[in-house]
Amino acid sequence: MIITMKKTATQKDLDSIISMIESKGLHVNMISGTSYNVFGVVGDTTILDMKTIEANNKVESVMRVSEPYKKVNRLFHPEDTIVDVNGIKIGGKEKIVVIGGPCSVEGQEQISRIAKEVKEAGADMLRGGAYKPRTSPYAFQGLGFAGIMNLEQAKKETGMPIVSEIMSVDKIDEFVEHVDILQVGARNMQNFDLLKALGKTNKPILLKRGLSNTIEEWLMSAEYIMAGGNPNVILCERGIRTFEKYTRNTLDLSVIPIIKKKTHLPIIIDPSHATGDWELVEAMSLAAIAAGADGLIIEVHDHPECAWSDGAQSLKPKRFKELIEKGRVIANVVGRSM
Amino acid sequence: MIITMKKTATQKDLDSIISMIESKGLHVNMISGTSYNVFGVVGDTTILDMKTIEANNKVESVMRVSEPYKKVNRLFHPEDTIVDVNGIKIGGKEKIVVIGGPCSVEGQEQISRIAKEVKEAGADMLRGGAYKPRTSPYAFQGLGFAGIMNLEQAKKETGMPIVSEIMSVDKIDEFVEHVDILQVGARNMQNFDLLKALGKTNKPILLKRGLSNTIEEWLMSAEYIMAGGNPNVILCERGIRTFEKYTRNTLDLSVIPIIKKKTHLPIIIDPSHATGDWELVEAMSLAAIAAGADGLIIEVHDHPECAWSDGAQSLKPKRFKELIEKGRVIANVVGRSM
Amino acid sequence: MIITMKKTATQKDLDSIISMIESKGLHVNMISGTSYNVFGVVGDTTILDMKTIEANNKVESVMRVSEPYKKVNRLFHPEDTIVDVNGIKIGGKEKIVVIGGPCSVEGQEQISRIAKEVKEAGADMLRGGAYKPRTSPYAFQGLGFAGIMNLEQAKKETGMPIVSEIMSVDKIDEFVEHVDILQVGARNMQNFDLLKALGKTNKPILLKRGLSNTIEEWLMSAEYIMAGGNPNVILCERGIRTFEKYTRNTLDLSVIPIIKKKTHLPIIIDPSHATGDWELVEAMSLAAIAAGADGLIIEVHDHPECAWSDGAQSLKPKRFKELIEKGRVIANVVGRSM
Amino acid sequence: MIITMKKTATQKDLDSIISMIESKGLHVNMISGTSYNVFGVVGDTTILDMKTIEANNKVESVMRVSEPYKKVNRLFHPEDTIVDVNGIKIGGKEKIVVIGGPCSVEGQEQISRIAKEVKEAGADMLRGGAYKPRTSPYAFQGLGFAGIMNLEQAKKETGMPIVSEIMSVDKIDEFVEHVDILQVGARNMQNFDLLKALGKTNKPILLKRGLSNTIEEWLMSAEYIMAGGNPNVILCERGIRTFEKYTRNTLDLSVIPIIKKKTHLPIIIDPSHATGDWELVEAMSLAAIAAGADGLIIEVHDHPECAWSDGAQSLKPKRFKELIEKGRVIANVVGRSM
């Protein structure tokens, strides 16, 4: 950590900061510049609160040098984490995993029918929302537990593991029992109580990036889960909020090589929510594979114009199948299977 | 609602959309343009899902004309909502309410001491965090229930109502019993389960704007609370996330006249979290008063450099008092007291 | 164009708007809704100024249905534009063009040496900056005309066409004579005087997207060039400014399918400026090819740590060659050569 | 400047960086941390290019401690700059200057009529656009030199200095002769050729912040003008581009105290372009005065619904007068006149 002191800081001011830091078992080096004096703090600086140090009115600025995350940091854990979901492995350098299914579970018949179609198209897992975070209180809020039961039945029929979004702590037991991958949605990425509770399970967690969260904040949320004892974290980029409104969000594919460099966790891409437009999903999926993603999660519906939510971004099963076929060729080029 | 059809849409395509909409009890008018055909949908369009209509591949775009919120809409509720907090009124055209206190409750002695100082300085209410949403799992997470007890004791000593952040549904009973204004933090603005649960209480709710949420999304979250039956919503702007990093966030003061125009709810400003820098708090507070804010919520700490969180943005009691004195003069100019 | 009138608008207010619009030769249809009255305007609405109509205080909002651009619009020009640069074709469905070279021309020896290396690696064209837009007045501003001469000599030696940035109208004659593709940088994307002047040449123009410009604004800038009579416009995405600071900018690859859908112009990608980090360039280049880009423009320097500008984002020739080799395989998969 | 070296850097790597820096006359201090080695560079680091140093693949990151601007820096020039415009002083602690007028000059009669109205309302100076930067090539581009002549006549009639936007270097002589304050628009804030040319004049320059430029970039553009020899720079905030679309841009009033702290230059606010909505202009103007702005530039038109551009954001003269009257009371409260 680098602390820059104002020129007006007296020796007493400097000493006061130094003794505060040293009292925490850290070591301080000082560099005298022309306009400022600078402290370099050596040791485990994750225990220091930057904002409190900045509160000293003789401090100009505080900058971190080391990352504030430890368990997700590749520096301390060089080999790739591979998350095992009922025998399907996410992460590593082999298979690219494809998760398909509707935005919302609409009933047993619908989810069983679509499950078969996505399996036939080549998907590895089934997604479907039972509890839906909706901007409007007047919009369809999901089938709830009945939806989870419908997913479980579809799993029995197809053998595919199921992925569904969990929105609150009081549903954890239900999800641990019935769902294979627990998804934390973008709006809950910093619902820390939920993250802590998920850290105490050993279930695979699909942690979506918040729509306005930095990569560092995202990794800190993963750190919450890992710090609780659960190493099975899968990161998922689903677009960030920018000034551009042509797409619903802006898909940030550069996170793929960044996440690979900074962490050992697998990273998958959700082109459906990122773009909000099915016409863009195939191009972004192929791009994600080329850039090194470990998986894709894609919305598929056989009657998008009748879907109860998010029809505009859903692919029909036929197009989904074509996407997988094209994707496989690119996967092979980058040395992986799909 | 305006639906623009692609030029390639056939009469059959047009008829299919029309019959879908009319089946929901709405009426359709059609305008034939040079490049597109346009439908105007008349009736209560909040029941239509824009995304599902866009899923039709003959639809070019869908645009709302009416706002999707009803209960918070000034159109249907012209007079100002005034939230009564133990006799102190927030909203309307009279008093501007000032809430002061530390970021975190650090113990009984600290909160009681600061409570007396902020009261002496002229504050109306006391703020303090007992449950803290922290980016890092390794940072101080708040004193929890003990902190709530400390706040209640400080309330007894000073007579000031207390404001504290609630982070999860399972703490609602505790907050309803002990806290006067329940704050929903920026990270939980779209924690819809929490909003629904708060809608079933009749407690004043301070709803902070999410750091990357639009005004419309913010109002939809207020709609969740009101739709549940709780009319006591106070909106709070605390800065939005932008490309500019000199300040922690960018305080968007233009929301004050916008909120006054669009809704009947009171709006208060949090310059401390918005700027992240105590040196900017006074200027932004005076600006907020001049722009018509109904209140201010400001972090105050007597030893910011020792605060357990967010010291950099805390005012010392002496500066807080000066701020209130300057603010009063501007409040008088805009026809209010403070 | 859709004009929504406030409920408080009287018949006289409505008539006044109608007669204003009809006086311009356009036709108006009216839809009476429950909360608002809505006008649909039929005809060439590009002649109407939205802001002026919104100035009427009985107008709630104004929305465009048709795009405001004509010459760049694929609706009126369905076949792909192919820009011919000394026999090399950019656009269409065949070759993906690769442009490589240093950020700045640093002298004859440097540019000739690097030109040979990028050609050997497989590049089609040479890039190099002679006039440099620098944030700081104290930074290296480019070699100016001498740099252009150095580029021309490198072109003679390698046969590769040259691409360089033009920053002001008074250099147009110089560039038309000596440079093959005139690049308009991100900061000048809305330097309308420059765009107008380039519209009067018939040179290929590489129009970079402004770092905070919408897709529509970008296409309107292309429209300026085409409206002036120059059809040879190549669009270039180079990242947009967002809240995320890990990368210099956020590369928005979804523009590739969007640009292909909305316009007939070729689109190339600049992963070097977008990410600001050479370690991310290869992954983003492969992703761009998979997503359908018509070309890549990449910074290459044989001694990045000694480059006079932007060394951090430059690839060494060896890595650049590897990138092209990998890219070719993906190009083949998507049915193109490289 | 702080340079963080990767843990994998060898002693030879460290020595190579040190000798490069020392060869430029700067001094290096080293701090050995647990995960990284850190260099502190002492001396005038504005001569170092951060990007080139980052190009070294043993360098983890480079951070500046000192600001990269010198002439605009309050550290080296503590007293306020006061720009004298025909006897009217902008900056310092006394008068708040008000500039009013239409977006575009539409002819002699219009500008003379509005000039008298804004003067009567209490304005100090007249604004009007003669050369207009328009997104669309089909929109009104301004009257050009005829507009400048109209402004000069209005100046003769009212005695008010005139402010108009300059878009290109070839108009500098015309503007120096006829215009009192030369405005650089947001889109040209990084048109460095224009900034350099304006630096060679001694005219007051109104430098608008680019809609997506950081405070630091804005100050670097001011540095370009001052480095050329022209000290008469007035900064103008006019809103930044964010995800929020309710307003045209987001007015960032926190820049007022920041600019006052970082620089000695005057800062004025343009609430008309920032909000794009006349209904928000008064509240934002009063807020700006309360926050310490040195002036306001406001669009005024007596028939906004007929204005040739930007009618939606123009105040009528009567409302403009009311705004000035309210503003004066707040100006007095903050110890200034208006």
Side-chain angles (χ1 to χ4, degrees):
Chain A
M1 181 176 283
I2 304 294
I3 302 171
T4 306
M5 302 296 296
K6 287 185 186 161
K7 227 182 165 172
T8 55
T10 61
Q11 189 58 44
K12 205 182 137 201
D13 296 324
L14 303 180
D15 290 345
S16 140
I17 296 274
I18 292 171
S19 70
M20 182 275 285
I21 292 168
E22 292 186 340
S23 75
K24 308 211 169 189
L26 302 165
H27 185 65
V28 180
N29 286 297
M30 194 171 108
I31 300 168
S32 294
T34 44
S35 316
Y36 297 102
N37 288 308
V38 173
F39 292 142
V41 183
V42 180
D44 178 9
T45 58
T46 59
I47 61 171
L48 291 179
D49 188 75
M50 288 171 72
K51 289 287 163 190
T52 302
I53 299 170
E54 280 178 2
N56 190 305
N57 64 14
K58 295 304 169 72
V59 169
E60 177 67 23
S61 69
V62 182
M63 298 181 277
R64 276 197 189 282
V65 170
S66 316
E67 292 87 0
Y69 42 86
K70 301 175 191 178
K71 289 181 187 295
V72 306
N73 199 330
R74 196 181 275 274
L75 202 59
F76 310 122
H77 184 311
E79 60 294 347
D80 287 343
T81 281
I82 297 175
V83 178
D84 187 307
V85 184
N86 307 1
I88 300 172
K89 290 174 170 39
I90 305 186
K93 286 174 181 57
E94 297 179 16
K95 194 170 167 51
I96 295 171
V97 172
V98 181
I99 305 166
C103 180
S104 298
V105 179
E106 299 168 16
Q108 190 61 60
E109 201 279 318
Q110 174 248 20
I111 192 68
S112 290
R113 189 181 71 233
I114 296 179
K116 276 164 213 150
E117 294 182 301
V118 301
K119 187 173 188 186
E120 255 177 54
D124 302 295
M125 301 190 196
L126 176 66
R127 59 149 292 151
Y131 298 91
K132 302 294 304 170
R134 302 302 299 272
T135 306
S136 167
Y138 310 120
F140 172 58
Q141 307 276 319
L143 294 181
F145 183 61
I148 297 293
M149 291 293 91
N150 296 155
L151 281 168
E152 195 170 47
Q153 176 62 25
K155 173 185 172 179
K156 277 185 200 147
E157 293 165 8
T158 60
M160 287 191 293
I162 53 179
V163 184
S164 200
E165 178 169 350
I166 182 161
M167 285 171 63
S168 60
V169 172
D170 63 340
K171 296 289 186 297
I172 285 192
D173 289 345
E174 177 184 325
F175 273 69
V176 166
E177 187 175 346
H178 302 289
V179 176
D180 298 298
I181 298 184
L182 282 59
Q183 175 182 316
V184 177
R187 290 178 188 79
N188 278 315
M189 195 203 87
Q190 293 192 317
N191 182 336
F192 301 115
D193 281 3
L194 182 58
L195 299 177
K196 284 179 197 172
L198 294 170
K200 289 176 195 144
T201 75
N202 65 349
K203 281 280 183 173
I205 309 298
L206 186 69
L207 181 66
K208 290 203 161 186
R209 181 183 184 184
L211 54 79
S212 210
N213 286 109
T214 62
I215 293 170
E216 185 174 300
E217 288 169 342
W218 190 18
L219 296 182
M220 291 308 287
S221 287
E223 185 83 11
Y224 259 97
I225 299 168
M226 291 194 70
N230 184 350
N232 300 304
V233 180
I234 304 155
L235 299 168
C236 179
E237 159 72 20
R238 41 79 73 214
I240 56 173
R241 184 161 272 184
T242 69
F243 65 85
E244 177 61 68
K245 297 298 172 201
Y246 188 87
T247 45
R248 183 196 283 180
N249 297 288
T250 298
L251 180 60
D252 181 5
L253 288 176
S254 70
V255 300
I256 299 171
I258 293 169
I259 290 295
K260 292 284 175 201
K261 181 181 169 192
K262 289 285 178 187
T263 87
H264 48 86
L265 297 173
I267 164 91
I268 73 171
I269 301 295
D270 177 348
S272 308
H273 283 88
T275 63
D277 181 355
W278 67 265
E279 295 191 71
L280 307 175
V281 167
E282 183 181 293
M284 291 303 95
S285 296
L286 302 183
I289 297 168
D294 296 310
L296 296 170
I297 180 165
I298 294 176
E299 288 198 0
V300 182
H301 199 290
D302 47 7
H303 292 89
E305 68 283 5
C306 306
W308 294 6
S309 58
D310 279 348
Q313 69 199 34
S314 296
L315 287 187
K316 291 192 183 175
K318 188 169 164 290
R319 286 186 176 277
F320 178 59
K321 193 176 180 183
E322 290 166 13
L323 182 162
I324 291 180
E325 284 161 4
K326 291 184 193 173
R328 272 186 191 132
V329 191
I330 294 182
N332 291 341
V333 167
V334 297
R336 301 178 77 160
S337 67
M338 188 169 121
Chain B
M1 182 178 281
I2 304 295
I3 302 172
T4 306
M5 302 295 296
K6 286 184 185 160
K7 227 182 167 173
T8 55
T10 62
Q11 188 60 43
K12 204 181 136 203
D13 295 323
L14 302 181
D15 291 345
S16 140
I17 295 273
I18 291 171
S19 69
M20 181 276 285
I21 291 168
E22 292 185 340
S23 75
K24 308 214 170 189
L26 302 166
H27 184 65
V28 179
N29 286 296
M30 194 173 107
I31 300 168
S32 294
T34 45
S35 316
Y36 298 102
N37 288 308
V38 172
F39 292 143
V41 183
V42 179
D44 177 10
T45 57
T46 58
I47 62 172
L48 293 178
D49 187 74
M50 290 172 70
K51 290 284 163 193
T52 302
I53 299 172
E54 281 178 3
N56 191 305
N57 64 13
K58 296 303 169 72
V59 170
E60 176 68 23
S61 69
V62 183
M63 296 182 276
R64 277 197 188 282
V65 170
S66 315
E67 291 86 0
Y69 42 86
K70 301 175 191 178
K71 290 183 187 293
V72 306
N73 199 330
R74 197 181 273 276
L75 203 60
F76 310 123
H77 184 311
E79 59 297 342
D80 287 342
T81 282
I82 296 176
V83 178
D84 187 307
V85 185
N86 306 2
I88 299 172
K89 290 174 171 40
I90 305 187
K93 287 175 181 57
E94 296 179 15
K95 193 170 168 50
I96 295 170
V97 172
V98 181
I99 305 167
C103 181
S104 300
V105 179
E106 298 167 18
Q108 191 61 60
E109 199 279 320
Q110 174 249 18
I111 192 67
S112 290
R113 187 181 72 231
I114 296 179
K116 277 165 213 150
E117 293 181 301
V118 301
K119 187 173 187 186
E120 253 176 54
D124 301 295
M125 300 189 196
L126 176 66
R127 61 148 292 152
Y131 297 91
K132 301 296 303 171
R134 301 303 298 273
T135 306
S136 168
Y138 309 121
F140 172 57
Q141 306 275 321
L143 295 181
F145 184 60
I148 297 291
M149 291 293 92
N150 296 155
L151 281 168
E152 196 170 46
Q153 175 62 25
K155 174 184 171 179
K156 276 185 201 147
E157 293 165 6
T158 60
M160 286 190 293
I162 54 180
V163 184
S164 200
E165 178 168 350
I166 182 161
M167 285 172 63
S168 62
V169 172
D170 63 338
K171 295 292 186 297
I172 285 194
D173 290 345
E174 178 184 325
F175 273 69
V176 165
E177 188 176 345
H178 302 290
V179 175
D180 299 296
I181 298 184
L182 282 58
Q183 175 181 317
V184 177
R187 290 178 188 78
N188 277 314
M189 195 204 86
Q190 292 193 317
N191 182 336
F192 300 117
D193 281 2
L194 182 59
L195 299 177
K196 284 178 195 172
L198 293 171
K200 289 177 196 144
T201 74
N202 66 349
K203 278 283 183 170
I205 309 298
L206 185 70
L207 180 65
K208 289 203 162 186
R209 182 182 184 183
L211 53 80
S212 209
N213 287 109
T214 63
I215 293 169
E216 187 173 297
E217 289 169 342
W218 189 18
L219 295 182
M220 291 308 287
S221 287
E223 186 82 12
Y224 259 97
I225 299 169
M226 289 193 72
N230 183 352
N232 300 306
V233 180
I234 304 155
L235 299 168
C236 179
E237 158 74 19
R238 41 78 75 215
I240 56 173
R241 186 163 272 185
T242 69
F243 65 85
E244 176 62 67
K245 297 298 173 202
Y246 187 86
T247 45
R248 183 196 284 181
N249 297 287
T250 299
L251 179 62
D252 181 5
L253 288 177
S254 71
V255 300
I256 299 171
I258 293 168
I259 290 296
K260 292 283 172 200
K261 181 181 168 191
K262 290 284 177 189
T263 87
H264 48 84
L265 297 172
I267 164 89
I268 73 170
I269 300 296
D270 177 348
S272 306
H273 283 87
T275 62
D277 181 353
W278 67 266
E279 295 191 70
L280 306 175
V281 168
E282 182 181 293
M284 291 302 96
S285 297
L286 301 183
I289 297 169
D294 295 311
L296 297 170
I297 180 165
I298 294 176
E299 288 198 0
V300 181
H301 200 291
D302 47 7
H303 294 86
E305 69 283 6
C306 305
W308 294 6
S309 58
D310 278 348
Q313 68 199 35
S314 297
L315 287 187
K316 292 193 183 174
K318 186 168 165 290
R319 285 186 177 277
F320 179 58
K321 192 175 180 184
E322 289 166 11
L323 182 162
I324 291 181
E325 283 160 5
K326 290 183 193 173
R328 273 188 189 130
V329 190
I330 294 182
N332 290 341
V333 167
V334 296
R336 299 179 78 160
S337 66
M338 187 168 124
Chain C
M1 182 178 282
I2 305 294
I3 302 172
T4 306
M5 302 295 295
K6 286 184 186 162
K7 225 183 167 172
T8 54
T10 62
Q11 189 58 46
K12 205 181 136 202
D13 295 325
L14 302 180
D15 291 346
S16 140
I17 296 275
I18 292 171
S19 69
M20 182 275 286
I21 291 168
E22 292 186 341
S23 76
K24 308 212 168 188
L26 302 165
H27 184 64
V28 179
N29 285 296
M30 193 171 108
I31 300 169
S32 292
T34 45
S35 316
Y36 298 102
N37 288 307
V38 172
F39 291 143
V41 184
V42 180
D44 178 9
T45 57
T46 58
I47 62 172
L48 291 178
D49 187 75
M50 288 172 71
K51 290 284 162 194
T52 302
I53 299 171
E54 281 178 1
N56 191 305
N57 64 15
K58 295 302 170 74
V59 169
E60 176 67 23
S61 69
V62 182
M63 297 181 277
R64 277 197 188 282
V65 170
S66 317
E67 291 86 1
Y69 42 88
K70 300 176 192 177
K71 290 183 187 293
V72 306
N73 199 331
R74 195 180 275 275
L75 201 62
F76 310 122
H77 184 311
E79 60 295 344
D80 287 342
T81 282
I82 296 175
V83 178
D84 187 308
V85 184
N86 306 2
I88 300 172
K89 289 173 170 41
I90 305 186
K93 288 175 180 53
E94 296 179 16
K95 194 171 166 49
I96 295 170
V97 172
V98 181
I99 306 167
C103 180
S104 299
V105 179
E106 299 167 17
Q108 191 60 59
E109 201 279 321
Q110 174 250 20
I111 192 68
S112 291
R113 187 182 72 230
I114 296 179
K116 276 164 214 154
E117 293 181 301
V118 301
K119 187 174 189 187
E120 252 176 55
D124 302 294
M125 302 190 196
L126 177 66
R127 60 150 291 152
Y131 298 91
K132 302 295 303 171
R134 302 303 299 274
T135 306
S136 166
Y138 310 120
F140 172 57
Q141 307 277 320
L143 294 181
F145 184 60
I148 297 293
M149 291 294 90
N150 296 154
L151 280 168
E152 197 171 46
Q153 175 63 25
K155 173 184 172 180
K156 276 187 202 147
E157 294 164 5
T158 60
M160 287 191 292
I162 53 179
V163 183
S164 201
E165 178 168 350
I166 182 162
M167 285 172 63
S168 62
V169 173
D170 63 338
K171 296 290 185 298
I172 284 192
D173 289 346
E174 176 184 326
F175 272 70
V176 166
E177 188 176 345
H178 301 289
V179 176
D180 299 297
I181 298 184
L182 282 58
Q183 175 182 316
V184 178
R187 290 178 188 78
N188 277 316
M189 195 204 87
Q190 292 194 316
N191 182 336
F192 300 116
D193 281 2
L194 181 60
L195 299 177
K196 284 179 197 172
L198 293 170
K200 289 177 197 144
T201 74
N202 67 349
K203 279 282 182 171
I205 309 298
L206 185 69
L207 180 66
K208 290 204 161 185
R209 181 183 185 183
L211 54 81
S212 209
N213 286 109
T214 63
I215 293 170
E216 185 173 300
E217 289 169 343
W218 189 17
L219 296 181
M220 290 307 288
S221 287
E223 186 83 12
Y224 259 96
I225 298 168
M226 291 193 70
N230 184 351
N232 300 305
V233 179
I234 304 155
L235 298 168
C236 179
E237 159 72 19
R238 39 80 72 215
I240 58 174
R241 184 162 273 185
T242 69
F243 66 84
E244 177 61 68
K245 297 298 172 203
Y246 187 87
T247 45
R248 183 196 284 182
N249 297 288
T250 299
L251 180 62
D252 181 5
L253 288 176
S254 71
V255 300
I256 298 171
I258 294 168
I259 289 296
K260 292 283 172 201
K261 181 181 169 191
K262 290 284 177 188
T263 87
H264 48 86
L265 297 173
I267 164 91
I268 73 171
I269 301 295
D270 177 349
S272 307
H273 283 88
T275 62
D277 180 355
W278 68 266
E279 294 190 72
L280 306 175
V281 167
E282 183 181 293
M284 292 302 96
S285 296
L286 302 182
I289 296 168
D294 296 311
L296 296 170
I297 179 165
I298 293 175
E299 289 198 1
V300 182
H301 199 290
D302 47 7
H303 293 87
E305 69 283 6
C306 306
W308 294 6
S309 58
D310 278 347
Q313 69 198 35
S314 296
L315 288 188
K316 292 191 183 174
K318 186 168 165 291
R319 286 186 176 275
F320 178 59
K321 193 176 181 187
E322 289 166 12
L323 182 161
I324 291 179
E325 283 160 6
K326 292 183 192 173
R328 271 187 191 132
V329 190
I330 295 182
N332 291 342
V333 167
V334 297
R336 301 179 76 160
S337 67
M338 189 168 121
Chain D
M1 181 176 283
I2 304 294
I3 302 171
T4 306
M5 301 297 295
K6 286 185 186 160
K7 228 182 165 174
T8 55
T10 61
Q11 188 60 43
K12 204 181 136 202
D13 296 323
L14 302 180
D15 291 345
S16 140
I17 296 274
I18 291 171
S19 70
M20 182 275 285
I21 291 168
E22 293 185 339
S23 75
K24 308 212 170 189
L26 301 166
H27 185 65
V28 180
N29 286 297
M30 194 171 107
I31 300 169
S32 293
T34 46
S35 316
Y36 298 102
N37 288 308
V38 172
F39 291 143
V41 183
V42 181
D44 178 10
T45 58
T46 59
I47 61 171
L48 292 178
D49 188 74
M50 289 172 72
K51 290 286 163 193
T52 302
I53 299 171
E54 281 178 1
N56 190 305
N57 64 13
K58 296 303 170 72
V59 170
E60 176 68 24
S61 69
V62 182
M63 298 181 277
R64 276 196 190 284
V65 170
S66 316
E67 292 86 1
Y69 41 86
K70 301 176 191 176
K71 290 183 186 293
V72 306
N73 199 330
R74 196 182 276 274
L75 203 60
F76 310 123
H77 184 312
E79 58 297 344
D80 287 342
T81 281
I82 296 176
V83 178
D84 187 309
V85 185
N86 305 3
I88 299 173
K89 289 173 170 41
I90 305 186
K93 288 174 180 59
E94 295 180 16
K95 193 170 167 50
I96 294 170
V97 171
V98 180
I99 305 168
C103 181
S104 299
V105 180
E106 299 167 17
Q108 191 61 60
E109 200 278 319
Q110 174 250 18
I111 193 67
S112 291
R113 188 181 73 231
I114 296 179
K116 277 165 211 151
E117 293 182 301
V118 301
K119 186 174 190 186
E120 253 176 54
D124 301 295
M125 301 190 195
L126 177 67
R127 60 149 292 152
Y131 298 91
K132 302 295 304 171
R134 302 302 298 272
T135 306
S136 168
Y138 309 119
F140 171 59
Q141 307 276 320
L143 295 181
F145 185 60
I148 297 292
M149 291 292 92
N150 296 155
L151 280 169
E152 194 171 47
Q153 175 63 26
K155 173 184 171 178
K156 276 185 200 147
E157 293 165 6
T158 60
M160 285 190 294
I162 54 179
V163 183
S164 202
E165 178 168 349
I166 181 160
M167 285 172 63
S168 62
V169 172
D170 63 339
K171 295 292 186 296
I172 284 192
D173 289 346
E174 178 184 323
F175 272 69
V176 166
E177 188 175 346
H178 301 290
V179 176
D180 300 297
I181 298 184
L182 282 59
Q183 176 180 316
V184 177
R187 290 178 188 78
N188 277 315
M189 195 203 86
Q190 292 192 317
N191 182 334
F192 300 116
D193 281 2
L194 182 58
L195 298 178
K196 284 179 196 170
L198 292 171
K200 289 178 196 143
T201 74
N202 66 350
K203 279 281 184 172
I205 309 297
L206 185 69
L207 180 67
K208 288 203 162 186
R209 182 181 182 184
L211 53 80
S212 211
N213 286 109
T214 61
I215 293 169
E216 187 173 298
E217 289 169 341
W218 189 18
L219 295 183
M220 290 308 287
S221 287
E223 186 83 11
Y224 259 96
I225 299 169
M226 289 193 72
N230 184 351
N232 300 305
V233 179
I234 304 156
L235 298 168
C236 179
E237 158 73 20
R238 43 77 75 213
I240 56 173
R241 184 162 272 185
T242 69
F243 65 86
E244 176 61 68
K245 296 300 172 201
Y246 187 87
T247 45
R248 183 195 282 181
N249 296 289
T250 299
L251 180 61
D252 181 5
L253 288 177
S254 71
V255 299
I256 299 171
I258 294 168
I259 290 295
K260 292 283 173 200
K261 181 181 166 191
K262 289 286 179 188
T263 86
H264 47 85
L265 297 172
I267 164 88
I268 73 171
I269 300 295
D270 177 348
S272 307
H273 283 87
T275 63
D277 181 354
W278 67 265
E279 296 191 71
L280 306 175
V281 168
E282 183 181 293
M284 290 303 96
S285 297
L286 301 184
I289 296 169
D294 295 311
L296 297 169
I297 180 164
I298 294 175
E299 288 197 3
V300 182
H301 200 290
D302 47 7
H303 293 87
E305 69 282 6
C306 305
W308 294 5
S309 58
D310 277 348
Q313 69 199 34
S314 296
L315 287 188
K316 292 191 182 174
K318 185 167 165 292
R319 285 187 176 277
F320 178 58
K321 193 176 180 185
E322 288 166 14
L323 182 161
I324 291 180
E325 283 161 5
K326 290 182 192 172
R328 271 187 191 133
V329 190
I330 295 182
N332 291 340
V333 167
V334 296
R336 300 178 77 160
S337 67
M338 189 169 123

